[in-house]
Amino acid sequence: MTYCAGILVQDGLVMIADTRTNAGLDDISTFRKLHIFSWPGDRSFGLATAGNLSITQSVISFLHEGLPHPETGEIETLRNATTMFRAAQLVGRCIRHVREIDGPALDEAGVKFEMSMLFGGQIKGQPMRLFMIYGAGNFIECGIDAPFLQIGEHKYGKPILDRAVTYKTHLYDALKVGLISMDSTMRSNLGVGLPIDLLVMRRDAEDLELNRRIEAGEPYFHDLRERWSAALRAAHMAIPRPPYGPSSP
């Protein structure tokens, strides 16, 4: 299981991903799911992955190596993609390429081709964009009215993002809320866990402002978890009891 979130606000982009993978209660491993492609001064991208690890790792490998352009035959990579839209299309093509190669064997073994990705970033002189890319290679784009996207075990972390994030949220407030969203997911699903990888990219910087891993025991994240739990308890105690049924002491 996985939880990844991308938040695109006026000031820039935040992406967060956990690292836990498991094939049962006694087979738990740590793998990076937030991948960085960066050429400072020109373009930087973040790619978060969820689903079958062998599939997503193959897609990442093809993104590094590139694929022949269907019309020109030239090798197309994220380094030479002309727009963010073209870059997202390349990710989709890599997904379909892996399906063509591995799909029949997976079907024969009874393994579903299940995966999804968040792809965000900016090319110099062009808008910053964030996409969710599905297992068929098609994608949707994050917008001003819905400034975040999630993949994996998203239901536990979505309510805090719905209530607290708007397009005008400060970039590092978006990071804070994203971490609270991750904590909420970790508390409700043991398949999501530390370490957490995150990136922050400021709009029109064409480079990463922050690329960090949060390990178990990291002071700020520990404090955030404790403060959020205390704030929830205080909020619920401050709300009057429902005026229904017999009065209670």
Side-chain angles (χ1 to χ4, degrees):
M1 189 52 72
T2 291
Y3 177 53
C4 306
I7 306 172
L8 183 63
V9 294
Q10 190 170 27
D11 294 333
L13 173 68
V14 171
M15 296 183 73
I16 302 173
D18 84 311
T19 57
R20 179 169 294 180
T21 64
N22 66 81
L25 293 176
D26 59 349
D27 187 10
I28 297 174
S29 302
T30 296
F31 286 91
R32 186 175 182 92
K33 303 172 192 173
L34 180 58
H35 304 271
I36 308 297
F37 299 82
S38 183
W39 295 269
D42 180 49
R43 61 188 65 198
S44 290
F45 310 114
L47 183 70
T49 65
N52 185 296
L53 188 62
S54 68
I55 296 171
T56 58
Q57 287 187 341
S58 293
V59 173
I60 296 298
S61 295
F62 279 116
L63 283 171
H64 282 293
E65 294 183 3
L67 289 179
H69 191 281
E71 297 176 359
T72 66
E74 297 182 358
I75 298 298
E76 187 178 14
T77 68
L78 292 176
R79 180 68 181 89
N80 59 29
T82 54
T83 66
M84 280 296 299
F85 178 76
R86 295 293 187 186
Q89 284 187 316
L90 175 60
V91 178
R93 285 179 52 219
C94 288
I95 293 172
R96 288 190 291 271
H97 189 61
V98 172
R99 182 188 286 271
E100 290 173 4
I101 296 171
D102 296 336
L106 291 174
D107 289 340
E108 187 176 344
V111 178
K112 293 182 179 180
F113 193 95
E114 291 184 337
M115 55 83 61
S116 55
M117 294 183 165
L118 296 179
F119 177 65
Q122 187 172 23
I123 298 172
K124 185 176 182 179
Q126 298 186 22
M128 178 173 280
R129 301 173 78 173
L130 173 65
F131 303 91
M132 180 191 296
I133 306 177
Y134 299 100
N138 58 319
F139 52 84
I140 62 172
E141 184 172 2
C142 187
I144 292 177
D145 293 330
F148 65 88
L149 294 169
Q150 303 166 281
I151 55 176
E153 182 60 279
H154 58 81
K155 60 181 176 291
Y156 300 111
K158 188 174 186 296
I160 177 61
L161 297 177
D162 281 334
R163 291 176 181 271
V165 173
T166 70
Y167 183 69
K168 293 188 177 181
T169 299
H170 186 279
L171 185 58
Y172 282 85
D173 283 335
L175 173 58
K176 177 178 65 177
V177 176
L179 290 174
I180 293 173
S181 174
M182 178 65 75
D183 172 59
S184 298
T185 304
M186 289 168 54
R187 286 181 179 271
S188 298
N189 191 318
L190 295 178
V192 177
L194 293 162
I196 298 167
D197 291 317
L198 61 91
L199 69 81
V200 174
M201 188 185 308
R202 195 168 293 275
R203 194 178 297 271
D204 298 326
E206 295 93 34
D207 196 4
L208 299 181
E209 185 166 296
L210 181 65
N211 177 16
R212 183 182 180 89
R213 169 164 286 192
I214 296 176
E215 302 278 2
E218 199 268 351
Y220 174 78
F221 189 64
H222 176 77
D223 183 60
L224 176 142
R225 303 185 79 179
E226 294 300 315
R227 285 174 180 263
W228 181 242
S229 294
L232 287 176
R233 288 192 296 269
H236 115 74
M237 292 299 294
I239 298 172
R241 291 175 177 168
Y244 316 128
S247 28
S248 22

